[in-house]
Amino acid sequence: MQELDHDSRQEIDAIEREVVSVFVDGVRVLGLPPSVGEIYGLLFVSQTPLSLDDLVQRLKISKGSASQGLRTLKGLGAVRETNGNGERRTHYEPAIELKRLVGGFIREQIRPHVDSGRHKIKRLGDLAHKESDPVRRKFLLERTDRLDHWIRNGGRLLPMIQRILGQ
Amino acid sequence: MQELDHDSRQEIDAIEREVVSVFVDGVRVLGLPPSVGEIYGLLFVSQTPLSLDDLVQRLKISKGSASQGLRTLKGLGAVRETNGNGERRTHYEPAIELKRLVGGFIREQIRPHVDSGRHKIKRLGDLAHKESDPVRRKFLLERTDRLDHWIRNGGRLLPMIQRILGQ
DNA sequence: GTTTTTGTTCAAATTTTATTGAACAAAATA
DNA sequence: TATTTTGTTCAATAAAATTTGAACAAAAAC
């Protein structure tokens, strides 16, 4: 099987390094590991899809990191697999629609926390109801109620964000 | 100087532990250290303002952690200092207006990243313009332009979030 | 069926981040 | 002024998160 039109450099150039660095910073804000930013960044700046081995060689990261990082990105819907050209190995290209990226991030990284928070806050309300001192009980119910409002507002906000960033 | 109406327990009870745990989880999502969540959580569930030493004793954390955590929370506008009752030591109470909390978080934790991202992306555009291969240059300009749109959308989103969560 | 290629998993090593606690400074009290 | 109280700073330590790499599995090629 011959090499097709993918260039197989081992090193990345100045602008690629710069883009990678932007995404490393970007994903840090989102609480994702640097390797994920490196991988997505290099895909983002590449004109052709890259294989796992391309990522390992150009970013000088381990196969384990690359595999794990790609899994995270797949989970977020931030990369697509391509298998065109009768190639054997899977190649990856970035999803670059903001709507899709935001949707994936909310689904994978935000929703679960909001949901588990809702549960914990509900349990908190139950505890507050059991408080025997009436003054203390009133105070606790006020506070847990406020927490409940926060999480509800947060939950309502997410679809709005998706709508606004969906163009 | 006599003790006033602040209770000076050394231990926290079940509901206090539960509230603290909710906030530890909460701040983790925001990328803040657990101690910050513990401190804010205990203030949130307390009916009277607490001193640094109250926090140290009840949460069993070091004075250093408490001091550093309070500094972070002050920076976020998430705690207020009180010095009522002619007390000597400073006491703290939580800011519980969502608008204020979100505003502080955006100002301290989001804005700086958005701003430095803007700079990096601008520099990226400059690099892309210098690319000699016209096909490559076109591609790079498309991608950096897209990045620019992302960060602009993100920047526009922040005030909207503040407005929506401001009741 | 055997060998090679490709990719995953996970324990160990590394790196990063958070916490501790002792030294220090500042301010109140005596 | 000397002493005590209160709070901060930061180097050392502990804890948590990330990365590595070797062992393994699955699938293709031979």
Side-chain angles (χ1 to χ4, degrees):
Chain A
M1 184 65 51
Q2 60 179 328
E3 266 293 317
L4 293 171
D5 61 350
H6 300 133
D7 75 271
S8 47
R9 288 169 300 133
Q10 304 276 120
E11 307 277 337
I12 62 179
D13 65 24
I15 196 164
E16 286 169 331
R17 253 196 313 279
E18 197 67 21
V19 171
V20 165
S21 149
V22 165
F23 279 99
V24 168
D25 289 1
V27 303
R28 153 171 276 139
V29 177
L30 306 178
L32 298 170
S35 59
V36 168
E38 292 184 320
I39 294 167
Y40 185 83
L42 188 55
L43 295 177
F44 188 85
V45 78
S46 295
Q47 284 174 260
T48 57
L50 302 180
S51 69
L52 187 144
D53 257 18
D54 292 334
L55 294 167
V56 167
Q57 288 172 13
R58 299 189 196 176
L59 295 171
K60 301 182 199 323
I61 61 179
S62 67
K63 229 155 50 120
S65 263
S67 174
Q68 176 56 35
L70 282 171
R71 169 207 298 237
T72 299
L73 289 166
K74 282 182 243 174
L76 291 169
V79 300
R80 284 183 235 279
E81 305 190 351
T82 66
N83 261 307
N85 287 343
E87 292 260 2
R88 174 153 177 207
R89 30 178 56 189
T90 310
H91 285 67
Y92 300 89
E93 60 185 9
I96 59 175
E97 313 81 37
L98 188 54
K99 175 161 56 172
R100 184 184 176 82
L101 296 172
V102 171
F105 183 74
I106 289 177
R107 171 170 36 75
E108 297 293 314
Q109 310 282 313
I110 309 287
R111 278 265 178 245
H113 288 114
V114 171
D115 292 346
S116 91
R118 229 196 284 278
H119 283 126
K120 290 194 96 169
I121 290 167
K122 186 165 154 30
R123 199 139 39 83
L124 220 49
D126 298 344
L127 277 177
H129 272 289
K130 292 199 195 112
E131 169 66 38
S132 55
D133 174 6
V135 174
R136 179 72 177 152
R137 183 169 61 241
K138 182 158 182 294
F139 174 81
L140 291 175
L141 286 172
E142 271 170 28
R143 288 281 150 115
T144 54
D145 202 49
R146 182 172 287 268
L147 269 183
D148 195 58
H149 278 107
W150 287 3
I151 201 106
R152 275 180 209 284
N153 280 336
R156 282 187 12 235
L157 190 62
L158 298 183
M160 294 192 203
I161 291 175
Q162 296 199 55
R163 190 142 26 79
I164 291 166
L165 293 182
Q167 297 323 331
Chain B
M1 183 70 48
Q2 61 180 326
E3 267 293 318
L4 294 171
D5 61 351
H6 301 135
D7 75 270
S8 47
R9 288 169 301 133
Q10 303 275 120
E11 308 277 337
I12 62 179
D13 64 25
I15 196 162
E16 285 168 332
R17 253 196 312 281
E18 196 68 20
V19 171
V20 165
S21 150
V22 165
F23 280 98
V24 169
D25 289 0
V27 301
R28 151 171 279 138
V29 177
L30 305 178
L32 297 170
S35 59
V36 169
E38 292 184 320
I39 294 167
Y40 184 84
L42 187 56
L43 294 177
F44 188 87
V45 76
S46 294
Q47 283 174 259
T48 58
L50 302 180
S51 69
L52 188 142
D53 257 19
D54 291 334
L55 294 167
V56 167
Q57 288 171 14
R58 298 188 196 177
L59 294 171
K60 301 181 199 322
I61 61 178
S62 67
K63 227 155 51 121
S65 262
S67 175
Q68 176 57 33
L70 282 170
R71 169 208 298 237
T72 298
L73 288 167
K74 282 182 243 171
L76 291 169
V79 300
R80 284 183 235 280
E81 305 190 350
T82 66
N83 260 309
N85 287 343
E87 292 260 3
R88 174 151 177 210
R89 31 177 55 187
T90 309
H91 286 67
Y92 300 89
E93 60 185 8
I96 59 175
E97 313 81 38
L98 188 54
K99 175 161 56 172
R100 182 184 177 81
L101 296 172
V102 171
F105 183 74
I106 288 177
R107 170 171 37 75
E108 297 292 314
Q109 310 282 312
I110 310 285
R111 277 264 179 247
H113 287 115
V114 171
D115 293 345
S116 91
R118 230 197 283 279
H119 283 127
K120 291 193 97 170
I121 290 167
K122 185 163 154 30
R123 200 139 37 84
L124 221 48
D126 299 343
L127 278 177
H129 272 290
K130 292 197 194 114
E131 170 66 38
S132 55
D133 174 5
V135 175
R136 179 72 176 152
R137 183 170 62 242
K138 182 158 182 294
F139 174 81
L140 291 175
L141 286 172
E142 271 170 28
R143 288 281 150 114
T144 54
D145 202 50
R146 183 171 285 268
L147 270 182
D148 196 58
H149 279 107
W150 287 2
I151 200 106
R152 276 180 209 283
N153 280 336
R156 285 189 7 238
L157 191 62
L158 298 183
M160 294 192 204
I161 291 174
Q162 297 199 57
R163 189 140 28 78
I164 290 165
L165 293 182
Q167 296 323 334

